[in-house]
Amino acid sequence: MERIDLINYWNYFLSVEKDLDCTSQFVEPLGQENTYSFEFAKILILSCTEVESLFKEICSMIEDRQVQGCMDTYKACILTAYPKITTATVSVSRWGKTIQPFEGWDLGPLPWWKDYQVIKHSRAYHFEAATYSNAVYALSALYILIFYAAKIANFDFPNTKSIYIDSEYENTNMLFGPIKPLPDFETADE
């Protein structure tokens, strides 16, 4: 994966993140996680489209060949190489919660991904799946995947700072780097 591709993924993430941040003008997240709207549907669809693209990129980097597939193919590839992705944690400041977007992936489907599929294929009948919570989980998954892809590609972002989603994996200080490595990249000393 090229450096420019990773920067483009990050800039796209920041654009969608800004859209999510704007929703807080109209919906207070705490206690209203199941509120659904067209804006949350848009954020869910945009985030999951990028997530799928990154699944494909990461699997191609793992297997050193172009990988085309479905969610089951991506899941098997990624969890075989990086099983601790299920423990990757982010903080969602506006929501006041810490979440693990890939939690339980090793045990079954991701609930937010399942709801994305429902929204993508039959939005008119299942619009209530376009929730704030699903939008946040999908965007958080994108955030984590960008950092995994960068680590696999041996690329350090010079300076990253998101406004809505935060983690110890982010490099917000040019001198010291991230506070904590991604779960699958920890060394025995840490």
Side-chain angles (χ1 to χ4, degrees):
M1 177 174 261
E2 299 290 321
R3 175 184 185 277
I4 192 74
D5 293 336
L6 286 165
I7 291 170
N8 286 339
Y9 275 114
W10 182 251
N11 288 334
Y12 190 88
F13 162 82
L14 291 174
S15 175
V16 178
E17 182 188 48
K18 185 185 281 185
D19 291 344
L20 180 63
D21 187 43
C22 288
T23 67
S24 297
Q25 296 176 51
F26 308 102
V27 176
E28 173 57 42
L30 194 56
Q32 298 190 78
E33 298 87 352
N34 295 319
T35 299
Y36 54 93
S37 72
F38 288 110
E39 192 65 17
F40 295 142
K42 178 186 90 173
I43 293 165
L44 179 63
I45 290 168
L46 291 173
S47 297
C48 286
T49 301
E50 288 296 288
V51 163
E52 188 167 15
S53 180
L54 269 170
F55 281 156
K56 196 179 299 184
E57 290 280 354
I58 290 171
C59 289
S60 294
M61 288 188 287
I62 291 168
E63 297 189 5
D64 200 25
R65 66 178 177 84
Q66 195 63 30
V67 175
Q68 298 291 336
C70 62
M71 184 57 143
D72 290 337
T73 303
Y74 304 141
K75 177 180 177 177
C77 176
I78 292 169
L79 287 180
T80 298
Y82 303 107
K84 292 182 184 178
I85 195 170
T86 60
T87 65
T89 303
V90 300
S91 296
V92 185
S93 58
R94 186 74 171 111
W95 196 8
K97 292 191 177 195
T98 299
I99 62 171
Q100 295 174 319
F102 293 103
E103 182 179 33
W105 199 24
D106 51 337
L107 304 173
L110 296 164
W112 54 267
W113 184 265
K114 194 173 175 185
D115 285 345
Y116 156 66
Q117 292 296 320
V118 167
I119 292 295
K120 183 170 81 169
H121 296 293
S122 56
R123 186 173 315 135
Y125 302 105
H126 302 285
F127 189 59
E128 70 280 355
T131 65
Y132 170 83
S133 178
N134 282 332
V136 169
Y137 271 83
L139 189 62
S140 296
L142 176 58
Y143 173 97
I144 288 169
L145 288 173
I146 291 168
F147 284 98
Y148 264 80
K151 189 69 176 172
I152 296 164
N154 200 26
F155 173 70
D156 289 323
F157 285 105
N159 191 6
T160 56
K161 187 60 186 151
S162 58
I163 56 172
Y164 207 90
I165 297 168
D166 191 25
S167 76
E168 295 179 320
Y169 319 127
E170 232 179 282
N171 184 9
T172 57
N173 184 317
M174 294 177 101
L175 296 176
F176 302 110
I179 296 169
K180 184 176 173 183
L182 291 161
D184 287 290
F185 298 94
E186 298 165 322
T187 61
D189 314 357
E190 297 168 303

